[in-house]
Amino acid sequence: MTNEFASRSWTLRRRIARSFVGASAVVIILAGIVAFSTVQFVMAGNRVVYRWEPAVSRTAQFVAAVNGEEGSLRAYVLTGSPSFVTLYQQNLADQRRNAASLHSLVGSDATLRRQLASLEQAVATWHDQVVTPALNSVRSRDGSASPLVAGTTATRLSASMRADAATLSAQVEAKANTARKERTKFGVLFVLAIAMTALVFVLIGVVIWRGLHRWVLRPVDRLATQTREVARGDTYRQIVPEGPVELGRLGADVEAMRLQIAGQLAKAEDTQEELRLRSEELARSNDDLQQFAYVASHDLSEPLRKVANFCQLLERQYADQLDDRAKQYIDFAVDGAKRMQVLISDLLALSRVGRTTEEFVPVSLDGALDAALTTLADRIAEVGAKIVRATPLPVVPGDRALLTSLLENLVGNAVKYRREDVEPVIRIWAEHNRDDRLWTITIGDNGIGINPQFAERIFAVFQRLHLRDRYGGTGVGLALCRRIVEFHGGRIWLDPVASPQGATFRFTIPGGSEGAESRH
């Protein structure tokens, strides 16, 4: 039980290290066996190829040279032909050359060296007792050469040479066979070592796979399954860690994260419910406010109209009884009532932005500008303003009435805040940004301009930069413009750099002439 607990408490790093050490030890041992068998196989092969097989061949050539000497000597004795002497000398040279090569090949093998020395001694004795006397006898022509070659001594010495040659050949062949068997043995060992190495590598691969499956893949798969269940919405699904210490810690961290997310989701659900209740309350308030604005626009406009009408009626009917101060007071009352009517109308228009539009439709800004210029035609003609369309305006998704009101306010401001010493020129153009898919509409004039420090203030409600007696208005126009542009997903700003003299307003509208997007 203790060992099982200890094995479970092993870290993945420790398990991998132990496995690596064990596998490395086995691989090193097998590599040593393979290297040893390879070296021994090569050395045994070299001994066979470069020593014993040449030794067998040299021994056979040595015996053949000795036999050739004996045969050529007998032929010379019998025929006396000098050509057999030449053949004898060639065989003698071959015998000596093969003897020297055999000495080199035999090396330190004492048995073969003794046997080779015995054979050489027998050959030397045969040379001394048979060959030399026979050659001398042939040269002196005393007739004793034939008995020397065919006599008992020659027969005995020849038999001794053949016996020594056969023994040497048998010993060399035995050494060669031993070397061949040794080469075969190490070859088999080499093949077995290679096969064993391949088998061990396969076993190591199987063990590694099973270890990875047991220690890593299966725990990770189970952890991933539990995590996916949590990700699918089962935030109360407990994460149970498995496997080595590292994966256990990972599972514990995921469980801690799940608990934190579950807590945050609970808070988010509470917050969402609260927001839903507040949204419903805000929707009711907006409906009440819209109804109030509608009622107020009518209920307030009606008394103002009566005040203005009755003041004007009073002025007409009692004009001969009123002095100049009374008439001035009446004019003040009528002007105040009319300005109050305009202010109420503007506020009502501001409050209605985004409330009366259910969806966007493709709107041609050129058409909206034409409608705005038609409304402003009298004012434009009165001051002699020149409207320049530098580029065609695009077709964008939006509310036609609101976009017409936007252009009417911006162009109307350009006409209103003109300079008296120059002809009013109002330039309008459009630019398209392909990256943001936005149209930027610019309206610039050569009027009195606006101080850049008031660039944000002018878009607030009731913010005026000039006295009412010089430039009329309610201070709602630019606030209405900002509300309309933001409702269409864009922004509006004063560009103080674009025109050193006059004012330049820019606003962006998403979309393009390809079509309109619906917005609910």
Side-chain angles (χ1 to χ4, degrees):
M1 188 69 179
T2 304
N3 293 334
E4 182 180 359
F5 177 77
S7 64
R8 289 183 179 178
S9 63
W10 281 10
T11 63
L12 183 60
R13 184 179 290 104
R14 184 177 180 185
R15 297 183 185 190
I16 293 176
R18 291 292 181 90
S19 302
F20 178 77
V21 170
S24 299
V26 173
V27 170
I28 290 173
I29 293 172
L30 290 174
I33 295 175
V34 170
F36 173 77
S37 60
T38 303
V39 171
Q40 293 299 323
F41 175 73
V42 172
M43 292 177 62
N46 289 340
R47 286 194 294 271
V48 171
V49 174
Y50 297 110
R51 184 178 183 185
W52 297 118
E53 288 185 353
V56 171
S57 176
R58 293 299 183 183
T59 300
Q61 292 175 6
F62 181 84
V63 173
V66 172
N67 291 333
E69 284 184 71
E70 186 177 5
S72 60
L73 177 63
R74 288 181 180 180
Y76 177 64
V77 169
L78 293 175
T79 62
S81 173
S83 60
F84 290 105
V85 175
T86 303
L87 181 59
Y88 167 78
Q89 292 175 347
Q90 291 176 353
N91 286 322
L92 178 61
D94 290 342
Q95 177 259 322
R96 290 175 177 173
R97 184 174 60 256
N98 289 320
S101 179
L102 276 174
H103 277 287
S104 175
L105 293 172
V106 167
S108 60
D109 194 305
T111 302
L112 294 180
R113 291 183 68 86
R114 285 195 300 270
Q115 187 59 40
L116 180 58
S118 176
L119 177 58
E120 288 180 326
Q121 182 61 40
V123 171
T125 301
W126 178 69
H127 273 276
D128 291 341
Q129 296 184 13
V130 176
V131 177
T132 301
L135 290 176
N136 291 333
S137 176
V138 172
R139 291 191 188 97
S140 63
R141 298 181 181 180
D142 57 3
S144 62
S146 295
L148 288 173
V149 172
T152 304
T153 302
T155 301
R156 178 177 57 80
L157 293 176
S158 295
S160 177
M161 286 192 304
R162 290 189 182 90
D164 288 340
T167 302
L168 180 62
S169 297
Q171 291 178 347
V172 171
E173 185 64 33
K175 291 288 185 180
N177 288 334
T178 301
R180 293 189 188 100
K181 292 179 181 179
E182 188 178 24
R183 180 181 63 179
T184 302
K185 179 183 68 175
F186 285 114
V188 172
L189 179 61
F190 173 76
V191 172
L192 290 177
I194 292 295
M196 184 63 68
T197 302
L199 179 61
V200 168
F201 272 110
V202 172
L203 292 177
I204 290 175
V206 171
V207 171
I208 290 175
W209 168 249
R210 289 182 62 86
L212 286 175
H213 180 73
R214 180 180 178 184
W215 298 340
V216 179
L217 298 179
R218 186 171 62 186
V220 168
D221 184 60
R222 291 181 178 176
L223 179 61
T225 300
Q226 298 176 69
T227 305
R228 281 193 293 269
E229 292 178 1
V230 174
R232 283 194 291 265
D234 188 5
T235 56
Y236 297 101
R237 171 69 163 87
Q238 183 179 3
I239 304 295
V240 180
E242 297 181 6
V245 176
E246 291 89 347
L247 293 180
R249 292 172 180 170
L250 177 61
D253 292 339
V254 174
E255 172 64 11
M257 182 175 63
R258 182 195 69 82
L259 293 175
Q260 183 178 6
I261 292 175
Q264 292 177 351
L265 285 176
K267 293 181 180 179
E269 290 175 356
D270 295 340
T271 304
Q272 186 176 7
E273 179 64 19
E274 184 179 354
L275 288 176
R276 186 185 65 81
L277 296 175
R278 292 188 178 182
S279 296
E280 293 177 355
E281 182 180 354
L282 182 61
R284 289 192 298 269
S285 299
N286 288 337
D287 291 339
D288 294 341
L289 181 61
Q290 185 175 4
Q291 186 177 2
F292 170 77
Y294 178 78
V295 172
S297 64
H298 288 76
D299 293 349
L300 291 178
S301 296
E302 181 61 24
L304 290 173
R305 281 196 296 270
K306 287 185 177 181
V307 170
N309 291 336
F310 279 105
C311 286
Q312 291 174 345
L313 182 61
L314 180 65
E315 183 181 11
R316 286 197 299 272
Q317 291 185 358
Y318 299 97
D320 54 347
Q321 301 178 21
L322 298 176
D323 58 9
D324 292 339
R325 182 175 296 275
K327 292 180 180 179
Q328 185 180 18
Y329 290 162
I330 292 175
D331 289 340
F332 287 161
V334 171
D335 179 66
K338 291 182 177 180
R339 284 193 290 108
M340 180 61 74
Q341 286 180 322
V342 174
L343 180 59
I344 291 173
S345 176
D346 289 346
L347 288 175
L348 182 61
L350 183 65
S351 66
R352 285 180 175 178
V353 173
R355 297 180 181 276
T356 59
T357 300
E358 294 186 356
E359 65 177 8
F360 283 174
V361 297
V363 177
S364 171
L365 292 184
D366 275 321
L369 180 60
D370 290 338
L373 294 180
T374 300
T375 304
L376 299 171
D378 293 340
R379 293 169 58 186
I380 294 174
E382 180 182 351
V383 301
K386 182 180 180 181
I387 310 298
V388 178
R389 302 192 196 192
T391 64
L393 300 184
V395 175
V396 298
D399 182 282
R400 187 183 308 277
L402 293 180
L403 292 176
T404 301
S405 177
L406 168 67
L407 294 173
E408 181 181 338
N409 273 281
L410 292 176
V411 175
N413 280 349
V415 173
K416 181 194 299 185
Y417 298 104
R418 66 188 180 280
R419 295 170 57 188
E420 300 297 338
D421 56 340
V422 296
E423 177 188 14
V425 178
I426 303 169
R427 297 181 70 252
I428 305 170
W429 70 92
E431 299 171 306
H432 187 241
N433 188 329
R434 294 182 180 272
D435 295 334
D436 298 334
R437 299 184 62 186
L438 290 176
W439 283 98
T440 301
I441 312 300
T442 304
I443 299 178
D445 60 53
N446 60 346
I448 62 174
I450 300 175
N451 193 323
Q453 66 178 337
F454 303 122
E456 281 300 317
R457 177 182 170 185
I458 57 177
F459 292 103
V461 181
F462 302 136
Q463 294 297 320
R464 300 177 55 84
L465 302 182
H466 306 280
L467 296 176
R468 186 177 290 109
D469 57 355
R470 183 175 181 185
Y471 296 102
T474 60
V476 180
L478 289 179
L480 178 63
C481 291
R482 169 173 279 185
R483 181 72 64 85
I484 293 173
V485 171
E486 290 178 350
F487 173 67
H488 285 80
R491 68 185 187 94
I492 186 171
W493 70 98
L494 173 70
D495 190 345
V497 181
S499 178
Q501 295 206 354
T504 299
F505 286 92
R506 297 180 187 270
F507 65 90
T508 58
I509 296 290
S513 60
E514 291 80 10
E517 299 175 359
S518 295
R519 175 172 177 174
H520 298 278

